[in-house]
Amino acid sequence: MAYGPKICACCGRDDAIEEHHLYLRSDGCPDDLTVWLCSPCHGRVHQFPSKRVDISSAIKRSRVKARAQGKYVGGKLPFGYRVGGDGALVEDKEEQEILAMMHTLRSEGKVLRFIQKAAEDRGRKLSLGAIHRIVNDPIPISSRSRSSIIRRHSQGQSPDHIHRMLKSMYGEDVPMEAIKSVIEAVSGTG
């Protein structure tokens, strides 16, 4: 199975998509080590092997472009969302109702185990850690962004700089209040 969303890793097209092995099968490339390429890009890669496309950077550019278009590009789906027919994240009505219930229960002072049991009663088994993240994060952000915020804050970078970095590297426009909330949580000032 090819890595990433079914869009061209070089140009971002989403039609005429084919799998491309990252290196020659004759050199032992397994069938599951492939990426998606459109027919024209796939042809160029094979036509000019000495000028091979840097697949790694092409994938990164493609994922940033897809994320900017609101498409799901892999990883764990945030609770309350599913992948729509066009590849974009869309709200899951049932899970959104459970999210609202969990936030309401937490605002009423209920403990995490009570909230966990209420979610289970609604058909969703969640760990206490997941419930803790859900009810304590006013704005959900990816774990990758959260890790980057924590690491860059520990290196002394300002919230403004972290915000710009997340946007340029990952294509994620994380709200400034979410960045400050993560920093407050790890600093113990929140």
Side-chain angles (χ1 to χ4, degrees):
M1 180 60 151
Y3 173 79
K6 196 169 182 176
I7 59 174
C8 179
C10 293
C11 70
R13 281 179 57 171
D14 60 2
D15 60 324
I17 302 299
E18 304 168 354
E19 284 186 84
H20 170 72
H21 286 81
L22 292 179
Y23 56 96
L24 296 175
R25 280 187 276 188
S26 60
D27 290 340
C29 184
D31 285 336
D32 62 346
L33 193 56
T34 58
V35 293
W36 297 111
L37 295 176
C38 67
S39 292
C41 289
H42 197 193
R44 281 194 297 277
V45 167
H46 286 285
Q47 185 178 10
F48 303 108
S50 63
K51 297 180 180 179
R52 285 205 179 231
V53 177
D54 178 2
I55 296 296
S56 175
S57 63
I59 290 171
K60 186 181 251 185
R61 285 192 310 272
S62 174
R63 290 172 64 97
V64 166
K65 182 178 178 181
R67 190 177 288 111
Q69 294 171 347
K71 294 191 176 179
Y72 174 66
V73 295
K76 187 168 171 63
L77 280 171
F79 187 78
Y81 294 88
R82 62 179 172 76
V83 180
D86 62 351
L89 285 178
V90 293
E91 290 185 353
D92 179 296
K93 186 179 179 196
E94 285 181 38
E95 288 186 353
Q96 288 293 325
E97 290 172 1
I98 294 171
L99 278 173
M101 180 234 4
M102 289 192 296
H103 283 286
T104 300
L105 292 173
R106 189 61 169 175
S107 69
E108 293 171 356
K110 302 296 185 198
V111 296
L112 296 180
R113 287 203 188 276
F114 183 90
I115 297 169
Q116 181 184 40
K117 175 75 170 100
E120 283 180 20
D121 291 346
R122 303 270 309 260
R124 293 297 192 269
K125 186 170 176 72
L126 298 167
S127 70
L128 287 174
I131 292 170
H132 182 268
R133 282 188 301 278
I134 290 168
V135 297
N136 290 314
D137 287 347
I139 301 166
I141 60 174
S142 71
S143 58
R144 177 184 60 191
S145 291
R146 180 179 310 285
S147 297
S148 284
I149 293 167
I150 293 168
R151 184 178 68 253
R152 290 174 184 282
H153 172 68
S154 71
Q155 295 169 348
Q157 295 181 11
S158 72
D160 288 331
H161 180 80
I162 295 169
H163 180 263
R164 287 190 306 274
M165 181 280 312
L166 291 173
K167 185 145 179 115
S168 67
M169 284 186 68
Y170 302 140
E172 293 182 15
D173 192 10
V174 177
M176 188 59 75
E177 69 181 83
I179 293 171
K180 290 179 179 175
S181 171
V182 170
I183 289 171
E184 287 173 2
V186 298
S187 301
T189 59

